[in-house]
Amino acid sequence: GVHAAHMAGVIHRDLKPENIILSESDGQIVPKVVDFGVSKMVGASSVPNASLTRTGALVGTPHYMALEQVDGTNDIDARTDVYAFGVLLYRALTGHYPFDGTSLGEVILKIGTKDAVPMRMLRPDLPPALDAVVLRALSRDRNKRHSDLEDLARSLVQFTAPRSAS
């Protein structure tokens, strides 16, 4: 769903567990992304609610925000949501945020200056290649992240269990 939004030029900017709902369709559980309330059109020079998205404003949920989002420049693209999805994966697989702190400032400082602790330090049973995929999504340098969510999904396919024919 988010990749489809990206293809339409929309960056979600607030991917987090609360914005992913599970619904049933044809007997299958299907995740759906909701709350595009702080989304942004790529290349948009103006937005309806400029007070929420002005340069220097913090828009999103800090634990899930990429460096280019927390620095307030609004110079974002699909790789900003790739980062947030990396945080979702990291937290789902380890139970921890890659960057945490006792204050907003501490979280933002860590996002801007630290590398995430490899997941295998917290979960030694995880495959090293999976750790590498997630850490790539969490790179501070967005040029080192997956180019988009489809690229990230292709990197994750090797870790999915084969589906049985029904």
Side-chain angles (χ1 to χ4, degrees):
V2 177
H3 181 68
H6 290 168
M7 296 293 90
V10 177
I11 307 304
H12 190 281
R13 298 199 307 176
D14 199 22
L15 291 175
K16 59 186 177 183
E18 295 86 349
N19 289 340
I20 301 172
I21 61 170
L22 301 177
S23 63
E24 187 176 343
S25 177
D26 296 326
Q28 299 286 326
I29 300 296
V30 180
K32 298 197 182 239
V33 178
V34 298
D35 193 0
F36 281 78
V38 297
S39 64
K40 182 178 180 184
M41 295 293 296
V42 174
S45 58
S46 63
V47 290
N49 191 348
S51 66
L52 285 178
T53 57
R54 70 185 180 276
T55 299
L58 193 63
V59 177
T61 304
H63 284 102
Y64 296 89
M65 293 171 67
L67 179 59
E68 66 271 15
Q69 198 173 359
V70 298
D71 74 8
T73 64
N74 277 332
D75 181 22
I76 62 167
D77 59 25
R79 296 169 295 180
T80 302
D81 285 344
V82 166
Y83 179 92
F85 201 84
V87 176
L88 285 165
L89 290 168
Y90 191 101
R91 190 160 178 227
L93 292 166
T94 68
H96 299 276
Y97 291 110
F99 304 104
D100 205 359
T102 58
S103 69
L104 173 63
E106 186 180 356
V107 172
I108 290 172
L109 182 65
K110 287 179 180 178
I111 289 169
T113 61
K114 304 280 185 198
D115 291 327
V117 171
M119 294 187 308
R120 289 178 43 82
M121 297 291 291
L122 302 166
R123 289 268 320 271
D125 59 311
L126 293 175
L130 177 58
D131 206 1
V133 168
V134 175
L135 291 175
R136 179 178 170 199
L138 293 172
S139 177
R140 279 190 309 281
D141 180 350
R142 67 179 164 180
N143 292 318
K144 293 182 180 176
R145 289 184 212 141
H146 306 270
S147 60
D148 56 34
L149 286 171
E150 190 172 57
D151 181 34
L152 175 57
R154 279 192 301 270
S155 296
L156 292 170
V157 165
Q158 65 184 306
F159 306 107
T160 61
R163 293 185 178 183
S164 59
S166 310

